[in-house]
């Protein structure tokens, strides 16, 4: 279960993206048939209103247009920072026994895309337990972790798979491609300085989207098998893109799922909010000497 939670968070971090009509009853205001000037004024006002609505509609890009422009902008982006807060409510049931557990995770990542260099700070809080703080430096061939005051290096036999998953999930543009698979559940709106892709997914489309995200992030056979056992009851996604730069601004994701494994039933309600900032402003990430020494 812990592995699934880690993978779905990583996928969602990839991290890591209206015109309104007014139809009213104008019968009381209908002018006499012989009032031509009034008719002309009414027609002009109607035409102007229609033109305005058409302009507003045209101003909002289609899903394909928004994805293409955002892909172009983010592929040129060399670095960025993402901050995320993930709240999970887990319920474990085994026979007549049940246990509720709330997990709060905050995460900040500075990312340089090529060559890959990542610095992340993560804090995990669970009821009845001391908060766990982890710092990590991730390069193209090593992962250095600090828990408490101790630096450790991830064993080499685990490093390759983890780094491949991180490389697959760290491009924000990859997440947008998933919306093409659920276009019928997707709507684009505007909020302030951003275009917003909204998706409210249910039924078979939920599992299809989850499979796609997992494949994108290099999941293994065990994770794929776990996914087949899951019942994802709902997933809502919001992806915000800046109107001027077409760079990612924020994402909101909520998901409710349940799974039965080894005689246990697990229900998870997850909410995640993340923001993207510092576009092309992360100039250097340097692994400290004490972390490098941990690999010796």
């Amino acid at each position: 279960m812990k592995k699934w939670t880690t993978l779905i968070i990583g996928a969602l971090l990839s991290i890591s993206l209206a015109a309104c009509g007014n139809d009213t009853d104008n019968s009381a205001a209908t002018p006499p048939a012989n009032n031509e000037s009034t008719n002309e004024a009414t027609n002009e006002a109607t035409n102007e209103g229609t033109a305005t609505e058409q302009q507003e509609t045209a101003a909002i890009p289609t899903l394909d247009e928004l994805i293409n422009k955002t892909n172009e902008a983010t592929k040129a982006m060399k670095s960025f920072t993402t901050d995320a807060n993930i709240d999970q409510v887990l319920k474990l049931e085994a026979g007549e026994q049940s246990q509720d557990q709330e997990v709060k995770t905050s995460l900040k990542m500075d990312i340089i895309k090529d060559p890959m260099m990542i610095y992340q700070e993560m804090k995990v809080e669970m009821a009845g337990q001391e908060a766990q703080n982890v710092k990590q430096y991730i390069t193209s061939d090593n992962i250095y972790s600090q828990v408490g005051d101790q630096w450790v290096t991830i064993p080499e036999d685990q490093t390759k798979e983890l780094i491949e998953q991180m490389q697959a999930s760290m491009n924000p543009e990859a997440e947008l491609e998933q919306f093409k698979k659920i276009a019928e559940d997707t709507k684009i709106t505007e909020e302030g300085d951003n275009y917003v892709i909204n998706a409210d997914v249910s039924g078979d489309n939920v599992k299809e989207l989850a499979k796609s995200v997992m494949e994108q992030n290099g999941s293994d056979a065990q994770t794929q098998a776990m996914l087949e056992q899951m019942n994802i009851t709902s997933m809502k996604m919001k992806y915000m893109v800046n109107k001027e730069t077409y760079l990612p601004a924020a994402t909101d994701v909520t998901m409710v799922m349940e799974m039965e494994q080894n005689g246990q039933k697990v229900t998870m309600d997850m909410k995640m909010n993340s923001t993207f900032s510092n576009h092309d402003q992360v100039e250097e990430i340097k692994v400290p000497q004490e972390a490098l020494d941990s690999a010796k």
Side-chain angles (χ1 to χ4, degrees):
M1 187 64 204
K2 183 180 293 184
K3 180 176 182 181
W4 163 253
T5 302
T6 302
L7 282 173
I8 192 67
I9 289 173
L12 294 172
L13 280 171
S14 321
I15 253 84
S16 343
L17 16 163
C20 296
N22 187 12
D23 190 9
T24 58
D25 182 3
N26 293 319
S27 58
T30 302
N34 61 355
N35 192 335
E36 295 182 1
S37 60
T38 305
N39 278 337
E40 291 175 0
T42 302
N43 289 337
E44 288 177 4
T46 301
N47 291 336
E48 288 176 0
T50 301
T52 300
E53 290 176 0
Q54 290 173 345
Q55 289 173 357
E56 290 176 356
T57 302
I60 300 179
T62 65
L63 179 61
D64 283 343
E65 289 172 342
L66 190 53
I67 289 176
N68 291 337
K69 289 182 178 180
T70 302
N71 282 352
E72 184 177 349
T74 53
K75 283 178 181 177
M77 183 174 59
K78 295 179 174 60
S79 65
F80 62 97
T81 296
T82 181
D83 291 87
N85 290 291
I86 305 107
D87 292 338
Q88 300 172 79
V89 178
L90 302 171
K91 184 173 183 178
L92 290 79
E93 298 176 272
E96 296 181 356
Q97 297 182 334
S98 66
Q99 178 183 357
D100 293 336
Q101 186 176 58
E102 186 175 359
V103 183
K104 291 182 176 290
T105 305
S106 59
L107 179 69
K108 179 177 181 179
M109 301 174 70
D110 289 330
I111 298 173
I112 296 176
K113 293 171 65 175
D114 189 19
M116 186 183 80
M117 180 68 74
I118 299 172
Y119 171 67
Q120 67 177 7
E121 296 181 359
M122 182 168 60
K123 181 178 181 180
V124 180
E125 299 175 276
M126 290 186 286
Q129 299 186 27
E130 185 178 350
Q132 185 176 27
N133 295 282
V134 179
K135 294 181 180 180
Q136 284 189 320
Y137 289 88
I138 303 170
T139 69
S140 57
D141 52 18
N142 274 304
I143 300 176
Y144 309 90
S145 299
Q146 184 190 43
V147 181
D149 297 327
Q150 184 69 38
W151 281 98
V152 296
T153 304
I154 303 297
E156 187 175 350
D157 59 343
Q158 300 176 25
T159 300
K160 182 178 179 181
E161 179 184 351
L162 291 171
I163 290 176
E164 286 177 350
Q165 291 173 0
M166 187 63 70
Q167 287 173 327
S169 66
M170 73 177 191
N171 296 316
E173 67 269 15
E175 183 73 14
L176 280 174
E177 294 296 328
Q178 310 307 322
F179 286 99
K180 290 184 177 180
K181 300 179 182 297
I182 53 169
E184 68 272 19
D185 297 313
T186 300
K187 180 181 179 181
I188 299 175
T189 60
E190 293 179 280
E191 290 183 13
D193 296 330
N194 300 318
Y195 293 121
V196 182
I197 303 177
N198 301 273
D200 188 349
V201 195
S202 59
D204 293 339
N205 280 346
V206 177
K207 184 164 285 191
E208 182 63 30
L209 178 60
K211 282 183 180 179
S212 179
V213 171
M214 288 296 98
E215 290 170 359
Q216 170 194 317
N217 287 274
S219 62
D220 57 20
Q222 181 182 358
T223 305
Q224 292 287 348
M226 189 180 296
L227 181 61
E228 290 296 333
Q229 302 175 43
M230 294 173 58
N231 176 27
I232 306 174
T233 58
S234 66
M235 180 183 291
K236 294 182 180 180
M237 304 174 67
K238 289 179 65 177
Y239 199 109
M240 285 146 271
V241 177
N242 184 273
K243 291 179 181 178
E244 293 187 7
T245 64
Y246 286 96
L247 290 173
T251 63
D252 292 338
V253 178
T254 62
M255 184 178 71
V256 179
M257 55 76 67
E258 58 185 28
M259 179 180 70
E260 293 192 26
Q261 190 177 41
N262 300 325
Q264 291 186 330
K265 180 180 179 181
V266 180
T267 305
M268 181 177 74
D269 188 332
M270 185 182 76
K271 297 180 181 179
M272 174 180 150
N273 309 108
S274 60
T275 59
F276 298 94
S277 60
N278 269 354
H279 302 100
D280 288 331
Q281 299 299 311
V282 183
E283 296 181 355
E284 182 182 20
I285 299 174
K286 188 174 181 179
V287 181
Q289 187 61 45
E290 57 265 36
L292 294 171
D293 291 342
S294 70
K296 296 179 181 179

